[in-house]
Amino acid sequence: MHFKVPNQWHWREYFAELLGAAFNIFIGLSAIVFNFGHGLPIEQLVPDSSIRRLITGLIFAGSGAIVAVSLIGKLSGSHINPSVSLAFWIHGKMHLRDFVGFVIGQFLGAIAAVLLLVTLWGDYARSVSNGMTLPGLNYPLWMVFLSEVTITFLLVLTIFIFISHHRLMRWTPLILWLLIAGMVWQEAPISGTSLNPARSFAPALVTGNWHHQWIYWIAPPMGAAIAVGAFRLITLSERDVLTGKLYHAFNYPSIFKNVKLPHFQHHPHSNR
C-alpha cells in the first residue's frame, strides 16, 4: 500500500464516497419506506412500531457496514457522512482538499439516493416525507438538538476508540452496525437519528421542506467535534487514531495523513 501525494485531487476516493453514501442512504431510506410507508403490508404484519424501527435500524446501519468492507469502502475509508470526515480532518488525518472532496461526494450521493427513492417508491416514499429527519412530536427543540449532538458524539468516539487499537480496528464495521441500529431503534422518535447532515439535507431538498432542518446541519458536526476533544482528553496523547479508514485494507492506497500501522509505506514525497 502506498500513500498518495497530498497536492492532488483524489477523484477515485471522492467518487467512492459518493457511491457509498448513495448506497447507504438509498437502502436505509428504502427500509424506512418499507417499514413505515402507508399502504404497505408490513404495517399490518408488524403492528409494533418499535419492532419496525429496530428492523429499519438493522438494515440502515447494516448497509453502512457493507459499504465499509466493500471495494469502494476499502478505497475511500467509508466515511459516507460529513460529520465523520469532519472529525478526521479536525484530528489531523485528512488534508483540507480531501475533506472538501469527501463532503461534496457525500452530499451528491445522498441527493442521488433520494431522487432514486422517490422515482422507485413514489407515493409510498411521499407518505413518509421521503425519509426526512424531523423533530419528534412533543419533544422540545433543545432536546432534539442535544440528542443529535449526543448520538453523533457517541458514533465518532466509538470509531476513534476502535481504530486506535490494532486488535479492535477490524471490528469497527460490526460495532457501528450494532451501535447505529440501537440508536435508530431507541432515539429515532426524538430526532429521527440523523447523525449525518447529508442524509438529512437530501430529503429536505427533494421534498422542499426545510422545517427545523438547521438542527441536522449544526448538531451532528458539533457532536463530532466534541468527540475529537473527548478522545484526546481520554487518551492524553498516549494513543492515536491509526488510520482514516473504518476498515483498513493494506493492499489499497491511502490518502490519509499520519497513518500509524505496521507495514504501511508512506509516499516518499508526501507532506505528512
Side-chain angles (χ1 to χ4, degrees), residues 1 250 261-265:
M1 183 176 63
F250 286 93
L261 291 171
H263 312 302
F264 179 80
Q265 296 181 357

Side-chain angles (χ1 to χ4, degrees), residues 26-142:
F26 174 74
I27 296 298
L29 297 189
S30 291
I32 293 174
V33 175
F34 179 75
N35 286 308
F36 293 95
H38 300 318
L40 290 170
I42 195 70
E43 197 173 19
Q44 301 298 324
L45 294 173
V46 186
D48 189 335
S49 62
S50 177
I51 294 177
R52 282 184 278 142
R53 276 201 315 274
L54 177 59
I55 295 171
T56 300
L58 290 169
I59 296 173
F60 208 147
S63 67
I66 289 172
V67 172
V69 299
S70 70
L71 298 179
I72 59 174
K74 292 175 182 176
L75 176 63
S76 72
S78 189
H79 295 182
I80 60 176
N81 180 342
S83 300
V84 174
S85 295
L86 176 67
F88 280 109
W89 177 66
I90 291 174
H91 197 57
K93 294 297 177 180
M94 295 186 75
H95 295 281
L96 179 59
R97 180 179 302 209
D98 292 326
F99 167 65
V100 172
F102 268 44
V103 170
I104 291 174
Q106 292 154 1
F107 271 90
L108 291 178
I111 294 169
V114 177
L115 289 174
L116 181 61
L117 181 89
V118 171
T119 301
L120 296 182
W121 286 101
D123 289 338
Y124 297 123
R126 284 186 282 275
S127 72
V128 290
S129 301
N130 299 323
M132 282 188 65
T133 48
L134 293 165
L137 297 176
N138 303 319
Y139 288 99
L141 290 184
W142 68 264

